[in-house]
């Protein structure tokens, strides 16, 4: 699952980068999806191994090469990553793996993929996706707009030169729209995963918007999404609770952005008003999500019809922790037997003990 290291700004990426810098470990990254949303996802993985001047016969800069290809892709033009892939990436398809194993004692055999035709595997979600999509259209995403405006670095061309100021504004607006589109896609991915994952995500977003709005109104400071944990993890239900002062909040790695996060009176007013609009929209979206989870019911029903022996079992994979924990808790209450939860966050046995 190396694609989880696609973001160079994430803590996990930094940790892996530091480990590799020691030279004490040999690291192999494996993934079936090196590119999720952007070509730069692959660049992030390759830059763990390669210096920026590693392809001077192709481009002065590895990052510049990928940036140029990304721009072609965004404009629906053909891209060419083949020189990079052939040089630095080992690609293995099922067909190639089978061919390479033909002369071995145990040739590889992949199961044939078949679309199930059991009507019990079909279910109605009870979700009106078009209405939810229309509601997403009404979200202002003011917190992401402010993050781009206040924390975004000066935009540069692939060769590293500054973008002309006459077009920089339009480029920033395009970046804001791209961020909003990615967030919408992620919201729908969570809804596709499980009702619980979607509710958890929306609940966290709601708490962040509510808290950051209160903080802006009280302290005239913008708390960007990347700092949302500083607000959402606070015990606001405690009667003695009070938000940390700006001096206590913008510390450590966030100390350098404090000045840029200051808001004038007009910015505070706009932020608070737009946050109120988004809170109303989120409440409307949550009212569209049914209490019944037909997908979960189908999963439980399917498991109940499987004749399991002591030597086999069923593994359920999911991308999101909220979905994994949700399934685990419900299976424990509905089914007997050894049911385990294993995630990057925690593991639990059949009794619920970690």
């Amino acid at each position: 699952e190396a694609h989880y290291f696609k973001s160079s700004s994430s803590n996990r990426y930094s940790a892996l980068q530091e480990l590799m810098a020691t030279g004490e470990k040999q690291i192999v990254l494996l993934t079936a999806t090196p590119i999720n949303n952007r070509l730069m996802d692959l660049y992030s993985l390759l830059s763990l191994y390669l210096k920026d001047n590693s392809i001077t016969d192709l481009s002065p800069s590895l990052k510049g090469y990928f940036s140029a290809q990304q721009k072609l892709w965004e404009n629906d033009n053909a891209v060419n990553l083949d020189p990079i892939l052939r040089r630095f990436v080992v690609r293995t398809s099922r067909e190639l793996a089978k061919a390479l194993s033909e002369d071995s004692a145990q040739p590889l055999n992949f199961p044939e993929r078949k679309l199930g035709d059991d009507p019990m595997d079909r279910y109605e979600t009870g979700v009106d996706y078009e209405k939810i999509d229309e509601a997403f259209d009404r979200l202002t995403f003011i917190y992401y707009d402010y993050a781009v405006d206040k924390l975004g670095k000066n935009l540069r061309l692939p060769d590293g030169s500054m973008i002309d100021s006459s077009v920089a504004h339009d480029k920033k607006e395009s970046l804001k729209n791209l961020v909003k589109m990615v967030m919408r896609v992620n919201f729908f991915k969570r809804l596709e995963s499980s009702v619980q994952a979607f509710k958890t995500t929306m609940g966290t977003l709601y708490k962040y918007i509510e808290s950051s709005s209160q903080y802006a109104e009280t302290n005239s400071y913008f708390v960007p999404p990347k700092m949302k944990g500083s607000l959402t993890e606070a015990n606001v239900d405690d009667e003695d609770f009070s938000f940390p002062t700006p001096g206590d909040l913008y510390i450590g790695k966030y100390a350098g952005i404090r000045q840029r996060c200051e808001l004038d009176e007009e910015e505070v007013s706009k932020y608070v008003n737009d946050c109120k609009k988004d809170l109303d929209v989120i409440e409307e979206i949550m009212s569209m999500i049914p209490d019944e989870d037909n997908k979960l019911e189908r999963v439980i029903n399917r498991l109940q019809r499987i004749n399991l022996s002591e030597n086999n079992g069923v593994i359920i994979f999911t991308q999101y922790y909220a979905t994994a924990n949700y399934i685990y808790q419900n299976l424990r209450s509905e089914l007997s037997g050894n049911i385990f939860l294993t995630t990057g966050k925690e593991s639990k046995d059949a009794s619920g003990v970690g």
Side-chain angles (χ1 to χ4, degrees):
E1 305 297 328
H3 49 273
Y4 285 132
F5 296 92
K6 66 183 179 180
S7 174
S8 59
S9 62
S10 66
N11 291 334
R12 67 175 64 175
Y13 188 95
S14 298
L16 179 58
Q17 195 173 42
E18 291 175 7
L19 175 63
M20 296 179 69
T22 66
E24 299 174 354
K25 303 289 184 179
Q26 291 185 331
I27 308 296
V28 177
L29 299 182
L30 302 175
T31 175
T33 52
I35 296 174
N36 285 271
N37 300 314
R38 305 171 65 244
L39 298 183
M40 300 307 289
D41 295 344
L42 177 58
Y43 163 75
S44 294
L45 297 180
L46 292 179
S47 64
L48 287 166
Y49 294 92
L50 305 175
K51 295 181 178 179
D52 200 48
N53 63 353
S54 60
I55 57 166
T56 52
D57 57 321
L58 299 174
S59 170
S61 162
L62 177 68
K63 185 175 183 179
Y65 185 87
F66 270 90
S67 296
Q69 297 299 314
Q70 176 69 34
K71 186 174 182 180
L72 290 172
W73 191 23
E74 291 173 354
N75 292 322
D76 294 327
N77 295 317
V79 300
N80 182 23
L81 294 181
D82 204 52
I84 303 292
L85 298 176
R86 288 181 178 277
R87 191 176 304 185
F88 301 115
V89 178
V90 177
R91 293 178 289 175
T92 304
S93 65
R94 285 191 175 202
E95 289 73 17
L96 177 59
K98 289 170 67 174
L100 293 175
S101 70
E102 284 181 352
D103 297 329
S104 66
Q106 292 183 320
L108 292 175
N109 181 34
F110 294 97
E112 182 181 353
R113 293 176 176 174
K114 295 181 179 180
L115 181 64
D117 55 6
D118 188 339
M120 292 300 294
D121 291 337
R122 303 292 183 264
Y123 58 90
E124 293 291 335
T125 64
V127 176
D128 191 327
Y129 294 96
E130 290 187 1
K131 282 189 176 180
I132 291 179
D133 192 45
E134 185 275 330
F136 281 146
D137 275 334
R138 290 184 276 114
L139 286 172
T140 69
F141 288 108
I142 184 67
Y143 22 90
Y144 290 113
D145 285 352
Y146 272 30
V148 171
D149 287 333
K150 293 186 171 295
L151 305 180
K153 297 178 180 179
N154 292 326
L155 301 178
R156 297 177 180 273
L157 294 170
D159 62 4
S161 60
M162 295 287 294
I163 288 181
D164 188 273
S165 58
S166 62
V167 298
H169 176 269
D170 291 340
K171 294 294 183 181
K172 271 199 169 183
E173 293 304 308
S174 296
L175 178 58
K176 291 177 184 178
N177 290 331
L178 176 61
V179 170
K180 295 171 186 177
M181 180 185 70
V182 170
M183 291 307 302
R184 288 175 64 156
V185 170
N186 286 336
F187 291 155
F188 274 115
K189 281 184 176 180
R190 282 164 172 76
L191 181 55
E192 179 185 39
S193 176
S194 72
V195 167
Q196 186 60 37
F198 183 75
K199 287 181 176 179
T200 299
T201 298
M202 289 292 104
T204 301
L205 179 62
Y206 188 97
K207 189 174 182 180
Y208 160 68
I209 296 171
E210 186 176 47
S211 299
S212 67
S213 176
Q214 292 173 5
Y215 201 87
E217 192 169 26
T218 304
N219 298 282
S220 297
Y221 272 90
F222 165 58
V223 181
K226 66 180 180 180
M227 291 178 62
K228 65 177 179 289
S230 303
L231 299 180
T232 58
E233 294 172 6
N235 185 17
V236 295
D237 294 327
D238 188 334
E239 60 181 16
D240 296 325
F241 168 80
S242 62
F243 284 121
T245 65
D248 292 331
L249 184 64
Y250 298 92
I251 58 176
K253 64 180 180 180
Y254 298 125
I257 69 172
R258 176 179 173 179
Q259 186 175 358
R260 285 182 283 166
C261 289
E262 285 191 73
L263 302 175
D264 59 33
E265 186 176 340
E266 182 178 348
E267 289 175 324
V268 169
S269 177
K270 177 173 176 54
Y271 189 78
V272 171
N273 289 334
D274 282 3
C275 281
K276 176 63 170 62
K277 294 176 184 177
D278 282 9
L279 291 175
D280 291 341
V281 172
I282 292 175
E283 289 179 2
E284 179 184 341
I285 291 173
M286 294 301 287
S287 71
M288 300 180 193
I289 306 302
D291 294 330
E292 302 79 14
D293 189 344
N294 292 332
K295 183 177 183 180
L296 177 65
E297 291 179 4
R298 281 288 188 267
V299 169
I300 293 174
N301 180 269
R302 182 64 180 267
L303 292 175
Q304 289 172 332
R305 291 185 288 131
I306 297 176
N307 183 23
L308 297 177
S309 67
E310 294 181 357
N311 298 322
N312 61 24
V314 174
I315 300 176
I316 301 177
F317 291 93
T318 179
Q319 182 176 356
Y320 302 109
Y321 167 77
T323 298
N325 189 55
Y326 174 59
I327 294 174
Y328 167 74
Q329 297 294 348
N330 279 276
L331 292 186
R332 284 184 63 216
S333 64
E334 295 291 335
L335 303 177
S336 59
N338 292 324
I339 299 171
F340 300 91
L341 170 71
T342 302
T343 72
K345 185 176 181 179
E346 64 177 345
S347 296
K348 294 180 181 178
D349 61 19
S351 64
V353 178

